[in-house]
């Protein structure tokens, strides 16, 4: 609880210094229609203990992810994170090292960044990766800007099955940069014709893998179509655990791969902090945003780590910077690195297999509920179902019964009537047979 020590005289003195007559003068740019001109309906002031109790009681009304069967995904996933990860990242040398502004004296930080980059490059099948970005969606937008620099074109073609939040970030940044965006309509079967949208003005094609509805597709054909027109293929992966089971985008011709790394090492927080992954081909490295840690030897031949590339606005002229968004989620990428190191290659593959197995069992269970259709034919740990009632009503009814059953597609695609009865369902290694049975029983009851 914050303590606000300023008096009315203090505030008036501050306003006088900046030349404002009243607090309202600070909000002259906010339209009148957007302002609230009345007092909030709140109880009178109370003591700190009473306020804490009141807020705790309000919070207890929420159904939290850790207390009920949980099948919500669509970009953020509930996985088990070993206690070792949190213990190690809280060592003071890691927890307090904000960012390597004096990098060469931060050898521990640079070493884990180097190892993180190596892990990301291996996962995505790419040649070089940076030291992380803010999150998956902003990394995706940065990839579009990078493609514009590489190709000297300014038109991006977005798959309709790209996560709506990723699409929104790209469209926002492109609008203010004056760049063109062509976004296709959502297609639950994943059979859109992206190649038909690519022309000589296109700098990049952006696809999600697996896509928003869970479909898994071979990206080789769309990569070839993009390259034929001189454009780049950008692949976005909101669920990085899928790379333990699926073919890496780099093997299918991707030029830039971005991902959300939250699933590894970072707990499910609704709003972050998360960690963006960014990888590309070596020939494009100088157009890559963010920072890059490298390995070298000193004059005595001893191994050391250096900040090899850092084209950020803090280091070079702003107009020359390749990124003006947060370009390293340091502690989150450390958690990613530690968790992945603990898993090892075999453990990561096993984790992916457990996810897929859990999702297959759940799809089989839900398919037995009268009126439910499983629409996604090939999926990893997430798929889409169609229900005979509006999806929002179904999800709310499930929550009343203590099951968080997924994400109604209409919540992320408002106004799209074609998706009003679609639910995107995710299952991971944390879901038990009892969880799946509870979901099946609750869904059958809701739809009866």
């Amino acid at each position: 609880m914050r303590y606000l020590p300023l008096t009315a005289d203090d505030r008036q003195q501050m306003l006088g210094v900046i030349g404002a007559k009243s607090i309202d003068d600070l909000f002259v740019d906010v339209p009148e229609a957007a302002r609230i001109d009345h007092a909030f309906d709140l109880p009178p002031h109370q003591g700190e203990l009473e306020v804490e109790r009141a807020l705790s009681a309000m919070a207890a009304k929420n159904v939290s992810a850790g207390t009920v069967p949980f099948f919500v995904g669509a970009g953020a996933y509930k996985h088990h994170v070993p206690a070792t990860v949190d213990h190690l990242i809280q060592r003071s040398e890691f927890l307090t090292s904000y960012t390597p502004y004096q990098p060469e004296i931060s050898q521990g930080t640079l070493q884990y960044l180097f190892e993180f980059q190596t892990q990301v490059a291996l996962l995505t099948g790419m040649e070089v990766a940076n030291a992380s970005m803010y999150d998956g969606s902003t990394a995706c937008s940065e990839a579009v800007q990078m493609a514009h620099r590489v190709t000297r074109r300014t038109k991006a073609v977005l798959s309709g099955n790209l996560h709506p939040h990723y699409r929104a970030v790209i469209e926002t940044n492109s609008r203010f940069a004056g760049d063109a965006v062509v976004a296709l309509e959502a297609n639950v079967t994943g059979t859109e014709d992206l190649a038909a949208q690519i022309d000589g003005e296109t700098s990049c094609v952006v696809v999600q893998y697996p896509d928003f509805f869970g479909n898994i597709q071979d990206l080789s054909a769309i990569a070839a179509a993009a390259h034929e027109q001189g454009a780049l293929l950008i692949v976005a992966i909101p669920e990085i655990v899928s790379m333990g089971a699926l073919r890496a985008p780099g093997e299918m011709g991707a030029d830039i791969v971005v991902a959300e790394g939250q699933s590894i090492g970072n707990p499910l927080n609704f709003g972050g902090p998360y960690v963006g992954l960014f990888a590309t081909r070596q020939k494009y490295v100088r157009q890559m945003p963010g920072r890059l840690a490298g390995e070298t030897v000193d004059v005595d031949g001893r191994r050391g780590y250096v900040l090899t590339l850092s084209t950020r606005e803090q280091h070079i002229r702003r107009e020359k910077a390749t990124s003006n968004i947060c370009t390293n989620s340091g502690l989150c990428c450390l958690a990613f690195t530690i968790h992945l190191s603990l898993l090892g290659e075999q453990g990561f593959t096993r984790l992916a297999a457990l996810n897929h197995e859990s999702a297959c069992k759940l799809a089989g269970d839900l398919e037995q509920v009268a009126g439910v259709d499983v629409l996604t034919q090939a999926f990893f740990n997430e798929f889409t179902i169609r229900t005979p009632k509006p999806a929002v009503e179904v999800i709310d009814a499930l929550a009343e019964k203590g099951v968080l059953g997924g994400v109604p597609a209409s919540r992320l695609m408002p106004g799209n009537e074609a998706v009003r009865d679609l639910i995107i369902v995710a299952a991971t290694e944390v879901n038990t047979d009892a969880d799946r049975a509870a979901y099946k029983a609750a869904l059958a009851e809701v739809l009866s």
Side-chain angles (χ1 to χ4, degrees):
M1 187 65 67
R2 287 189 303 161
Y3 172 60
L4 303 176
L6 300 177
T7 67
D9 289 340
D10 292 333
R11 297 190 183 93
Q12 201 57 48
Q13 185 177 354
M14 288 189 287
L15 289 171
V17 170
I18 62 175
K21 294 180 181 178
S22 69
I23 295 292
D24 290 338
D25 287 351
L26 303 180
F27 302 102
V28 292
D29 293 326
V30 179
E32 287 286 347
R35 300 189 198 180
I36 297 175
D37 59 359
H38 56 78
F40 291 101
D41 183 19
L42 294 173
H45 74 277
Q46 298 183 34
E48 185 172 335
L49 182 61
E50 288 76 15
V51 172
E52 286 182 352
R53 285 176 174 170
L55 293 177
S56 297
M58 292 170 63
K61 295 179 181 178
N62 289 325
V63 180
S64 63
T67 57
V68 298
F70 184 84
F71 300 94
V72 178
Y77 302 87
K78 182 172 175 55
H79 291 283
H80 171 68
V81 179
T84 313
V85 175
D86 191 53
H87 176 76
L88 289 174
I89 67 172
Q90 292 201 46
R91 287 177 61 94
S92 60
E93 60 268 41
F94 290 134
L95 191 62
T96 61
S97 59
Y98 167 59
T99 192
Y101 282 126
Q102 295 176 301
E104 276 64 48
I105 64 172
S106 306
Q107 284 296 298
T109 298
L110 289 175
Q111 181 174 349
Y112 85 67
L113 292 178
F114 180 80
E115 293 175 0
F116 169 83
Q117 295 166 183
T118 304
Q119 291 172 336
V120 173
L122 289 172
L123 289 174
T124 56
M126 302 301 285
E127 295 167 346
V128 59
N130 72 12
S132 80
M133 307 202 76
Y134 188 59
D135 63 11
S137 65
T138 51
C140 194
S141 181
E142 293 276 6
V144 170
Q145 297 302 313
M146 173 177 159
H148 292 344
R149 292 192 295 272
V150 170
T151 63
R152 300 182 185 276
R153 303 172 181 175
T154 58
K155 173 184 169 184
V157 175
L158 312 186
S159 163
N161 289 1
L162 179 65
H163 194 295
H165 290 172
Y166 285 46
R167 169 176 167 172
V169 174
I170 293 170
E171 289 179 334
T172 299
N173 286 338
S174 298
R175 182 168 76 249
F176 289 104
D179 300 332
V181 174
V182 176
L184 277 65
E185 292 295 324
N187 183 318
V188 68
T189 60
T191 55
E192 61 191 355
D193 187 5
L194 272 169
Q197 302 297 322
I198 307 171
D199 57 26
E201 302 298 319
T202 305
S203 78
C204 58
V205 180
V206 186
V207 298
Q208 180 172 321
Y209 177 69
D211 72 19
F212 180 65
F213 297 105
N215 299 295
I216 299 169
Q217 294 183 338
D218 187 340
L219 303 176
S220 302
I222 189 61
H227 295 160
E228 187 176 344
Q229 293 284 355
L232 305 186
L233 175 64
I234 298 171
V235 179
I237 308 171
E239 171 55 296
I240 192 62
V241 176
S242 65
M243 289 298 96
L246 304 182
R247 190 179 175 196
E251 298 174 7
M252 294 183 281
D255 299 287
I256 305 173
V257 180
V258 295
E260 173 53 66
Q262 168 264 320
S263 289
I264 301 295
N266 292 279
L268 180 65
N269 292 316
F270 299 96
Y274 288 165
V275 52
L277 316 183
F278 196 109
T280 187
R281 303 284 177 195
Q282 178 68 40
K283 61 184 177 181
Y284 302 134
V285 68
R286 289 197 171 276
Q287 294 298 332
M288 184 173 65
R291 54 167 64 96
L292 181 67
E295 184 185 75
T296 186
V297 293
D298 65 12
V299 292
D300 299 318
R302 296 175 301 187
R303 184 173 63 176
Y305 297 91
V306 294
L307 200 57
T308 305
L309 186 70
S310 191
T311 52
R312 310 169 65 225
E313 64 180 6
Q314 291 94 335
H315 298 90
I316 62 175
R317 286 185 298 168
R318 185 171 191 176
E319 62 271 20
K320 295 290 185 182
T322 54
S323 171
N324 294 303
I325 307 180
C326 173
T327 50
N328 178 210
S329 293
L331 199 63
C332 293
C333 88
L334 174 62
F336 181 101
T337 306
I338 292 172
H339 190 183
L340 200 56
S341 299
L342 291 171
L343 285 169
E345 187 171 343
Q346 290 185 351
F348 184 63
T349 303
R350 177 60 181 150
L351 174 64
L354 287 172
N355 274 251
H356 183 56
E357 181 181 345
S358 180
C360 288
K361 288 180 178 177
L362 180 63
D365 289 344
L366 299 186
E367 207 164 30
Q368 296 174 26
V369 177
V372 174
D373 293 324
V374 176
L375 302 179
T376 316
Q377 298 301 310
F379 55 84
F380 170 58
N381 70 352
E382 193 163 29
F383 55 87
T384 300
I385 63 173
R386 172 172 284 133
T387 58
K389 294 182 179 179
V392 171
E393 294 179 17
V394 173
I395 288 299
D396 289 348
L398 287 171
E400 291 291 329
K401 296 183 178 301
V403 175
L404 298 179
V407 178
S410 58
R411 282 192 179 155
L412 296 177
M413 299 176 174
N416 186 342
E417 284 298 309
V419 302
R420 68 190 297 267
D421 55 357
L422 303 184
I423 301 175
I424 299 162
V425 184
T428 71
E429 77 280 1
V430 303
N431 295 124
T432 64
D433 288 340
D435 290 343
R436 290 185 284 270
Y439 191 178
K440 178 182 176 182
L443 186 60
E445 193 173 341
V446 167
L447 297 180
S448 63

